[in-house]
Amino acid sequence: MSASASSIDRPGVDLTKRQVYVIFAALLAAMFLSALDQSVVSTALPTIVGDLGAADEQGWIVTAYLLAIAIVMPIYGKVGDLFGRRTPFLLAIGLFVVGSTGSALSGSFEGLIVWRSFQGLGAGGLVILSQAIIADIVSARERGKFMGPMGAVFGVATVAGPLLGGWLTSGPGWRWCFWLNVPVGLAALIIAWFTLRIPEHRSRRRFDLVGAVLLAATTAGIVLLTSWTSLTHTTSYDWTDPGLLALLGATVLAFVLFLVVESRVEDPIVPLDIFRSRTFAVAATLSLFLGIAMFAALTFLPTFLQMAEGASATDSGLLMLPMTVGLMLTALTSGLLITRTGRYKVFPIAGFGVATLGLLWLTQLSADMSMVLFGAMIFVLGLGLGFVMQTLVIAAQNAVDPKRIGVATSTNNFLREIGAAVGTSLFSTAFTSSLRGDLDQTISQIPRSQVPSGFGAESLTPSAVRDLPAGLRDSVVEAYADALGTSFWYLVPLGAAGFVVAFFLKEIRLSDKAGLAARRDR
C-alpha cells in the first residue's frame, strides 16, 4: 500500500477508510448548513421583517449573523489547535441548532437578532473545524478530493438557498427557513458524536484572551463600518458624522493594539510569523481578493435577474445555476488532479485568470440580453472560482506546522470573510453612485407626472420596478443594468491583481501524512 493511501486508511488514529468517509459526510452536512442558511434567510428577509414589524431594521438580521461568524472564526481555529477539535465541533453544531430553534420560535425582532447571533456563533465553527478536521485525518496529498466537494457545497447553496427560501416563505412560512436546520444539524451532531473519535488533549499553553478580544473588536468595527449605510438608513458615508469617525478610530486603534499584543504574547491567537511563509502569505492575500470579488458579484447578480427579467427570488436562484455548475466542475476536477499529481500552484493562476475574464465579460451586462448569454458569463465566473476556493485552503494548511493547521485554516477563511464584507460594501457604494447618476438622467427626460413621489436609487426594489409605468420601467431597468455592468469594472483590476499574485505562490511539496500523524511524529 502506498504512503498516500495509508494516510486515509490509518491517519494516525483508529479510523478505517469507511469511518473517514462517514465523518466526511457529517462535516459536509455541517458546512452545507452554514453556507445555505444565509442565502435562505436573505430570500425570506422582506417577509420576516414585515411580519415582525421591523422593515427599517432588516440590516441587523444579516449583520448580527456575519458579525458573530467573523468574530469566532479565529477562536475556533486556535482552540482546536490547543485542545483538539472534537468538542469545539460538537459545540458549534449545538449552538447552530439552538440558534435555529430560537430563531424559528422568535416572537419579536429583538429576539430574532439574539438567536441569529447564536446561529452565527455556531456557523463560524462549522466551516473552520470541518476543514481542519479533514486536515487532521487525511494527508495534504489526498486532501484535494475531500476539499473539492467542500468547495462545491458553496456553489450548491448559492442556488438551493433562494429556491428553498422562496418556496418555504410562500408555502409553510418563513419560520421553516430555520426549522430546516434542526433535523440536518441533529443528524450531523449524532454522526459526529459517535464517529468523530480524534484525540483531544489539555494544552499547558495559555489561551490568548487579550488578543482574541482585540481581534473581535477589530472585526466588529470592520463589519459595522461596511454595514454602516444599512444600519443607519443613510444613502452614503458622511465622514463628518462623529459616530462614524469614532467607530473608524476605535477600529484602527483595536487593530494596532492587536498587532502589538500578537507580536509579544507567548502563544498568540494569530501567530504573525506564519505570514513569513511566502506560500501562506500569498494564499491569504488571494483569499482576501477572492472574498471581495466573489461575494460582491453574488450579492447583486440575483437582484439584476429580478429587475431585468422580472424573475422571482426563486427563479433567480435557478438562473444562477450555470455558475454553480461551473464552480462544481472545476472544484471537483482540481481536487482530484491535486491528489493525482501533488501539484496545486497552477489552479489559483488558472482560476483568477478565468474569473477575471468572467468579470470582464460581466461589464457588458444589458437589460435586453438573453439569459443564454448571461448563463455563459456566470458559467465562466464559476469556472474560475471553483479552481481557487479550496485550493487556497490546502496550500495554507500545507505551509504551516501541523500544530497550527487550525490557525492557518481560520486565518485564511477569516480574511475571505473580511474581504466579502469590505468588497460588498465598496461594490455597493460604486453601484449606487453610478445608478443614481443614470436614474437622474433617465428621470429628467420623463414628465414629472409619470414619476412616483420619492422614487430614486435608494427606493429601487424589484417589486417597485414592476409597478412602474411600462416606459419608465424599461428605462429604469436599462439604467440598473448599465450601472451594474459599469461597477464590474472595479472588480476586474482586483481579479487581474489576483492573477499576478498567484504566480508568487511558492509550491511546497504536499505532505503524505495526515495532520494527527504528523504532530505525533514531531
Side-chain angles (χ1 to χ4, degrees), residues 66 222-223 226-227 291-292 295 416-426:
L66 292 179
I222 292 172
V223 173
T226 56
S227 307
I292 297 174
F295 287 95
R416 191 175 71 188
E417 288 294 319
I418 294 299
V422 173
T424 301
S425 176
L426 294 177

Side-chain angles (χ1 to χ4, degrees), residues 214-513:
L214 289 171
L215 183 58
T218 303
T219 304
I222 292 172
V223 173
L224 292 175
L225 282 169
T226 56
S227 307
W228 183 259
T229 55
S230 65
L231 297 178
T232 58
H233 316 302
T234 55
T235 58
S236 61
Y237 284 83
D238 178 9
W239 292 107
T240 63
D241 185 338
L244 179 58
L245 292 174
L247 178 60
L248 177 63
T251 303
V252 172
L253 177 62
F255 179 63
V256 172
L257 291 175
F258 169 74
L259 293 179
V260 172
V261 169
E262 297 305 272
S263 64
R264 297 181 179 182
V265 73
E266 180 182 358
D267 189 23
I269 190 169
V270 179
L272 300 182
D273 61 354
I274 62 175
F275 289 94
R276 294 174 186 169
S277 164
R278 194 175 87 185
T279 300
F280 181 85
V282 171
T285 302
L286 293 177
S287 291
L288 183 67
F289 288 174
L290 178 67
I292 297 174
M294 175 181 174
F295 287 95
L298 291 180
T299 299
F300 288 90
L301 288 175
T303 308
F304 163 76
L305 293 170
Q306 294 173 48
M307 292 283 193
E309 292 298 306
S312 65
T314 303
D315 291 339
S316 66
L318 281 175
L319 291 171
M320 291 294 291
L321 188 59
M323 192 185 77
T324 300
V325 172
L327 191 151
M328 290 180 65
L329 182 64
T330 49
L332 296 173
T333 301
S334 60
L336 292 173
L337 288 174
I338 289 172
T339 296
R340 178 173 297 179
T341 65
R343 309 301 294 271
Y344 57 87
K345 178 177 179 176
V346 65
F347 298 112
I349 295 172
F352 271 97
V354 173
T356 302
L357 293 177
L359 293 171
L360 187 62
W361 201 0
L362 283 167
T363 63
Q364 305 304 306
L365 284 175
S366 63
D368 58 351
M369 70 186 305
S370 74
M371 286 298 96
V372 173
L373 180 59
F374 177 80
M377 289 177 172
I378 61 175
F379 176 75
V380 172
L381 179 62
L383 284 176
L385 297 177
F387 274 130
V388 178
M389 288 184 63
Q390 300 307 309
T391 306
L392 295 178
V393 177
I394 294 174
Q397 290 176 338
N398 190 63
V400 301
D401 187 295
K403 295 179 181 178
R404 289 177 165 181
I405 283 178
V407 166
T409 306
S410 62
T411 303
N412 186 76
N413 283 273
F414 174 77
L415 288 172
R416 191 175 71 188
E417 288 294 319
I418 294 299
V422 173
T424 301
S425 176
L426 294 177
F427 189 84
S428 176
T429 301
F431 167 64
T432 303
S433 176
S434 179
L435 179 60
R436 188 181 294 114
D438 289 350
L439 277 184
D440 289 345
Q441 184 177 359
T442 297
I443 292 174
S444 67
Q445 300 171 2
I446 297 174
R448 296 299 303 175
S449 59
Q450 298 182 18
V451 180
S453 176
F455 181 77
E458 291 75 29
S459 61
L460 206 57
T461 63
S463 58
V465 169
R466 283 193 292 270
D467 294 337
L468 293 174
L472 178 57
R473 181 174 63 247
D474 292 343
S475 298
V476 168
V477 169
E478 185 176 348
Y480 188 95
D482 289 345
L484 187 58
T486 299
S487 299
F488 272 104
W489 281 110
Y490 291 94
L491 298 181
V492 171
L494 189 70
F499 175 70
V500 173
V501 171
F503 280 94
F504 293 90
L505 184 67
K506 183 180 179 182
E507 193 167 58
I508 301 174
R509 180 180 175 275
L510 292 175
S511 172
D512 288 326
K513 291 183 178 180

Side-chain angles (χ1 to χ4, degrees), residues 7-55:
S7 66
I8 287 184
D9 290 334
R10 299 191 62 79
V13 289
D14 246 352
L15 293 175
T16 65
K17 187 174 182 179
R18 178 179 175 278
Q19 286 175 314
V20 169
Y21 283 105
V22 171
I23 292 173
F24 177 63
L27 300 179
L28 212 57
M31 286 192 69
F32 184 65
L33 279 177
S34 177
L36 184 68
D37 186 77
Q38 191 172 339
S39 55
V40 169
V41 173
S42 295
T43 305
L45 203 54
T47 304
I48 294 173
V49 296
D51 284 354
L52 297 178

Side-chain angles (χ1 to χ4, degrees), residues 166-179:
W167 180 77
L168 291 170
T169 303
S170 60
W174 63 263
R175 294 181 187 277
W176 282 93
C177 294
F178 300 107
W179 284 126

